[in-house]
Structure formats: structure tokens, C-alpha cells
Amino acid sequence: MDDLEFGALRRRSTTHALADMLHHWHATVDNGESVRTVFVDFAKAFDHVDHNVLVAKLVSLGLRDIIVRWMCAFLRQRRQCVKTDDVLSDWLQLSAGMPQGSYLGLLTFVILIDALQRGYLTHKYVDDTTMTEVLGRSAVSSMQSFIDELVQQATDAGMIVNGRKTKELLIGPVLKDPPPSVSLSGTTVERVTAFKLLGVHIACSLKWLHHVDAITPKADSRLHFLKQLKRSGAGRDDLRCFFTTVIRPVREYACPGRHSSFVAQTKSLESLQRRALSSTTKTANTRCH
């Protein structure tokens, strides 16, 4: 499997993917070079998995015949219908698509997308694909040829790249003299200054103000419910449980990947931490019954 595939695999997570990407981007900028990234979106990725292409991929990986036949049995004769109130549509036999909500569905999709071999730096997390090009001061971008190659490989795999939702981000000195925009299947890829990648808001400056501005209101709204629980007489253990399961993940999600350059925004997050600590450590008001 691709070393830069981080989804549906043991001991790998979104945090690992983000840490590896940010490491490459920071190292490039520190060397005085620029980064050109394209965040690829696949249209209805799981619905477009061609069963014949998938089985051919399993055979090419050298899996035992019994496993391939077992997978064929898993995919064969799947049907779906649509229900509106008490009315059911006719049943439709499926020749493509993977059942979602199962680990096997994720794993088989990862196997299929592994066929998108690269001649450039590409990070994958299931159907989230991030292409990175390093540009020297006088280098000419080859991202358009990379995009064309990806589209062709995706088409061969029975997948469709969504040009409208695919975005581009420029990082480093290239911002002053940006290269021409790339197009994807006739659609010009939008160039943005920030992008939400795997739950984290990445800015072209690689600073975290945009991310903190995005998560602070979300954490504050949850902190309000913590205070409501305290007023209703919830115990200290219950308040701490609410904080650690509902508020803390918003604040600390993927923090190992971004902690090194997070100093400027620490004050804002520590303020949230102190307010939550105040609510969970002080004794809640008792109510008369």
C-alpha cells in the first residue's frame, strides 16, 4: 500500500496525515521555496466504486483466490430502493458502490484509490487527496500535468474528480508572483487563501489565527452548555466528563501536527481552558427539593 495513505489503516490517523503534510510544507518554506497544493474532491466517491475494477485490483495485488471470491460474494446481488413515507420504489440491482458504515467498505476503497500512483507528493486519507508541488524561486509549475494524470488515472478506476469542489492553495514566496491557475475537466480550480483539511483550517501563511477563529465559537457554545449543567446541579465528575468528551476534543484536535507554530494563539485557547476549569472545579450550587 501507498506509504502516504493514512485512512482506514492501523496506527494511522488524520493527525498523522496533517503532521506529515505540515512538516513538508514548513520545511519547504524554511528553505526559501514555495508550495503549491491542490485538494482533490471525488464526486460521490463510494457510490462510484466499480466492482469489476475493484476485483481486478485485488487480483493484481496477488491476494489468494479464496479472498477474492469471498469479496465477490460480499459485493454480488446488492440492491437498493428509496422509501418516502410508506411508499417504496422498485428494487435496483447495484453494479457499483460500496456499503458505507462498515470497515470493509473503507478498506476496499483505500485499495482502489491506491491505484492512483503518483510521480509527485500526494497524501491520502480515504477519499481526501492532497497533491503537493515544491517550487523553487525560478521553477515552472507542472501542476497542470499532475492534475491531468490524476484525472486519467481516476477515470480508469471508474472515479470522477469534482472540479467545482477541488481547491488550490499557494504557500510561500510564490504568493507574490502566482503561476497560472490549473483547470480540471474544463473547470478552473478555485484558488483560496485558507482551506479546511481533515478538520483543520490551513491558511496560506501557515498561521493558525483562522483555525482558532473557527473553533473558538464552537467551543464557547459548548462551554455554555457546561455552565447550564452546573446550574442544574450536575456533579463534578459529570462536569469533567462533559468537558473531556465534548469541549476538549474541539480545542485539542490534531494538536500534535500544529503545536510547534501555535504560540501566538495560545492565549485565546488557554482562556477557554481556564473558564472550563472554573466551571468543573468549583462546587455546583445545590438546589432545594
Side-chain angles (χ1 to χ4, degrees):
M1 299 296 293
D2 191 344
D3 289 338
L4 296 181
E5 170 63 72
F6 293 89
L9 299 175
R10 289 183 178 180
R11 300 183 180 88
R12 296 198 173 197
S13 66
T14 54
T15 299
H16 291 100
L18 288 164
D20 196 75
M21 281 185 275
L22 289 167
H23 167 73
H24 282 94
W25 298 344
H26 277 289
T28 299
V29 174
D30 290 343
N31 289 333
E33 298 176 313
S34 302
V35 177
R36 188 177 194 182
T37 60
V38 174
F39 307 103
V40 180
D41 180 84
F42 292 101
K44 297 183 179 180
F46 284 86
D47 295 335
H48 287 151
V49 174
D50 188 293
H51 294 171
N52 294 326
V53 175
L54 176 60
V55 171
K57 176 63 178 177
L58 296 176
V59 173
S60 68
L61 290 175
L63 296 179
R64 290 191 300 168
D65 181 66
I66 184 64
I67 296 178
V68 176
R69 288 192 285 113
W70 178 75
M71 181 60 69
C72 290
F74 175 73
L75 297 173
R76 189 181 299 121
Q77 295 181 354
R78 287 194 171 273
R79 301 187 302 163
Q80 71 177 22
C81 70
V82 177
K83 180 180 181 181
T84 303
D85 294 329
D86 295 328
V87 180
L88 281 177
S89 69
D90 295 333
W91 285 94
L92 176 68
Q93 192 79 26
L94 298 179
S95 61
M98 290 302 302
Q100 300 186 39
S102 67
Y103 176 73
L104 194 58
L106 284 174
L107 183 60
T108 50
F109 184 84
V110 167
I111 291 174
L112 179 66
I113 203 172
D114 185 65
L116 305 182
Q117 300 297 329
R118 66 196 192 285
Y120 40 87
L121 185 61
T122 303
H123 291 81
K124 304 173 188 174
Y125 190 88
V126 191
D127 60 336
D128 288 298
T129 300
T130 303
M131 302 168 58
T132 298
E133 181 186 24
V134 176
L135 294 173
R137 293 188 179 274
S138 59
V140 177
S141 175
S142 300
M143 183 57 77
Q144 184 62 61
S145 62
F146 296 161
I147 290 289
D148 294 340
E149 181 183 354
L150 177 73
V151 171
Q152 183 59 53
Q153 292 178 349
T155 301
D156 294 340
M159 302 172 65
I160 301 174
V161 181
N162 190 338
R164 296 184 181 276
K165 292 187 177 181
T166 297
K167 307 297 180 183
E168 178 187 9
L169 182 71
L170 301 178
I171 304 171
V174 74
L175 286 170
K176 299 179 181 180
D177 186 21
S181 299
V182 296
S183 61
L184 199 159
S185 300
T187 302
T188 300
V189 175
E190 181 184 1
R191 187 171 289 167
V192 296
T193 57
F195 184 80
K196 187 177 181 181
L197 176 63
L198 299 178
V200 173
H201 297 264
I202 306 292
C204 59
S205 62
L206 292 182
K207 303 298 182 182
W208 296 107
L209 180 61
H210 186 78
H211 179 72
V212 172
D213 288 344
I215 67 173
T216 299
K218 185 177 181 180
D220 282 340
S221 66
R222 299 185 181 193
L223 186 60
H224 168 74
F225 288 107
L226 178 67
K227 294 177 180 178
Q228 293 295 103
L229 286 173
K230 180 180 177 180
R231 293 192 185 103
S232 68
R236 182 178 299 178
D237 291 340
D238 292 331
L239 295 175
R240 287 178 177 174
C241 180
F242 183 87
F243 170 72
T244 55
T245 58
V246 178
I247 301 176
R248 186 174 177 179
V250 176
R251 178 182 179 271
E252 299 184 2
Y253 170 70
C255 61
R258 50 186 168 84
H259 182 268
S260 61
S261 55
F262 214 55
V263 178
Q265 286 74 41
T266 300
K267 185 177 180 180
S268 174
L269 295 181
E270 287 301 327
S271 173
L272 172 66
Q273 175 85 357
R274 286 192 296 270
R275 283 182 287 150
L277 185 64
S278 175
S279 296
T280 56
T281 56
K282 291 181 180 180
T283 305
N285 295 328
T286 57
R287 304 178 67 182
C288 296
H289 299 282

